[in-house]
Amino acid sequence: MQLSRDDLLSAYSTMVTIREFEERVAAEFETGDMPGFVHLYAGEEAIAVGACLDLDDTDVIGSTHRGHGHCIAKGCDITGMMLELFGRKDGLCGGKGGSMHIADLDKGMLGANGIVGAGAPLIIGAGLTAKTLKNGGVAIGFVGDGATNQGAVFESMNLAVVLDLPVVFVFENNYIGEGTGVEYSVGSGDIAGRASGFGMPVEKVDGRDFFAVHEAMRACIERARKGDGPSGIEALSPRYYGHFEGDPQAYRGKGEVEKYRTEDDCLKIFQQRVVEAGLLEENDMDALRENARSIVDDAVKAARAAPPPGASDLMTDIYVSY
Ligand SMILES: Cc1ncc(C[n+]2csc(CCOP(=O)(O)OP(=O)(O)O)c2C)c(N)n1
């Protein structure tokens, strides 16, 4: 499937925006001025962008505790996100959600989630809504490798199949959950195989390869839109940062992350593919990266200058009104 030049530019732009956002958040967090807990997604950009490229605002995603990349891929505002991470009043969730509970319902982003595996049941509800309303919407659930061991995820897979929902599971296998490797924690080690045991097609793809992720996701999304039920992908790609910011990463080998950054970088893989094929020029791609850097820089400046929520905001956003 050949993507248009605009699609390729858009995909690369979103991938570099996620990378610039994450690298900058790492630096800002180190200053001590960013409250809360932060889990970075750098290294896994091709998964979020490949999964979300064909979605629109009627489609929803459920995220994980490592959710910035999912937010950006689903179209959330960068400044609103940065304000949220800094705990500012005008952040996407009024500065009260922070990194692990960031959400934007207008963009179909149901939220990052501090409870591992809890995004999966949320997208079952969203999938049931789309099926009931017949609005053509699809619900995508991002689930980490560690989260695939959670009972709630197993129940969600079962319900997706039993209720024949327009749902796609994106199992993000970054080889490790906190400090425990997949080979130790996942029975059989085969996440796709285990998920397909529920009775839906689940393809294993190279998560560093945007094109592989996108191609597989396109089939899953089309299947869901046609009413043919749930499916999924297991996408493998390493994360570059620790489990959380401040993690000493004693569980990692010497030079492991450097190898990932040089040999497994999804941005480099993308660039090499499109430049060699004559589809995009390096100059245009460099300009997109510069642009992303300046958007993120402006967002940090805006966040640092913005006020936190006031005492009067303490009792707001507690109940949802329908
Ligand atoms: C229900 C629950 N159990 C345990 C935790 C603690 N915890 C936070 S992240 C994490 C590991 C998740 O690993 P994975 O799903 O592979 O995601 P990754 O961090 O690798 O992206 C754990 C065990 C939690 N937040 N929620």
Side-chain angles (χ1 to χ4, degrees):
M1 156 84 210
Q2 180 92 35
L3 287 164
S4 70
R5 181 179 162 79
D6 280 353
D7 279 339
L8 291 172
L9 288 169
S10 160
Y12 186 70
S13 169
T14 311
M15 280 166 65
V16 286
T17 303
I18 298 173
R19 178 67 55 86
E20 291 297 327
F21 188 91
E22 295 296 68
E23 305 279 24
R24 186 65 185 266
V25 168
E28 296 299 322
F29 190 81
E30 261 194 44
T31 66
D33 296 337
M34 188 178 275
F37 219 33
V38 166
H39 305 77
L40 298 178
Y41 191 71
E44 301 182 59
E45 292 86 349
I47 306 179
V49 179
C52 293
L53 191 74
D54 293 342
L55 302 184
D56 59 39
D57 285 354
T58 53
D59 303 315
V60 301
I61 63 168
S63 180
T64 66
H65 54 286
R66 203 176 294 290
H68 309 159
H70 307 145
C71 282
I72 295 173
K74 195 66 175 66
C76 294
D77 179 62
I78 301 298
T79 304
M81 286 180 65
M82 196 61 86
L83 261 70
E84 188 58 37
L85 265 62
F86 271 93
R88 305 307 202 219
K89 184 178 166 59
D90 292 329
L92 276 187
C93 307
K96 296 192 284 188
S99 166
M100 257 196 291
H101 300 101
I102 192 165
D104 185 349
L105 301 190
D106 292 338
K107 290 286 175 192
M109 162 56 180
L110 292 185
N113 210 310
I115 302 170
V116 167
L122 288 184
I123 61 129
I124 296 305
L128 186 57
T129 304
K131 183 173 175 166
T132 308
L133 297 178
K134 297 187 175 59
N135 63 9
V138 175
I140 312 286
F142 292 94
V143 180
D145 44 82
T148 64
N149 298 320
Q150 287 288 102
V153 175
F154 278 72
E155 289 178 43
S156 301
M157 291 192 280
N158 187 55
L159 270 179
V161 172
V162 168
L163 299 177
D164 201 23
L165 299 179
V167 158
V168 182
F169 293 93
V170 179
F171 301 109
E172 297 185 310
N173 185 349
N174 59 17
Y175 322 146
I176 200 154
E178 273 198 58
T180 307
V182 162
E183 66 285 354
Y184 178 84
S185 65
V186 176
S188 85
D190 181 10
I191 292 168
R194 235 169 40 168
S196 61
F198 280 91
M200 60 181 162
V202 185
E203 190 181 336
K204 206 184 276 273
V205 296
D206 181 350
R208 304 162 314 157
D209 179 352
F210 161 83
F211 295 97
V213 175
H214 178 255
E215 190 82 15
M217 280 302 290
R218 174 159 282 191
C220 294
I221 292 166
E222 269 177 19
R223 180 185 159 85
R225 288 206 204 286
K226 275 199 303 190
D228 290 343
S231 57
I233 66 167
E234 175 189 350
L236 292 93
S237 185
R239 61 167 153 82
Y240 294 170
Y241 285 90
H243 170 60
F244 56 87
E245 283 313 279
D247 172 6
Q249 302 194 63
Y251 50 84
R252 275 184 148 161
K254 200 164 175 283
E256 188 180 325
V257 175
E258 289 67 28
K259 180 199 155 292
Y260 291 151
R261 282 189 180 267
T262 46
E263 294 172 26
D264 294 312
D265 182 2
C266 58
L267 300 184
K268 284 188 198 155
I269 293 170
F270 184 102
Q271 180 152 17
Q272 203 176 353
R273 288 274 292 277
V274 294
V275 170
E276 271 173 16
L279 297 169
L280 295 181
E281 297 74 41
E282 264 179 52
N283 286 352
D284 292 333
M285 300 180 84
D286 292 345
L288 287 176
R289 186 147 197 167
E290 271 312 306
N291 186 45
R293 199 167 288 160
S294 103
I295 289 170
V296 170
D297 192 48
D298 288 348
V300 170
K301 286 184 183 131
R304 284 191 168 276
S312 60
D313 299 310
L314 270 178
M315 299 305 284
T316 60
D317 305 322
I318 294 170
Y319 299 105
V320 175
S321 47
Y322 292 95

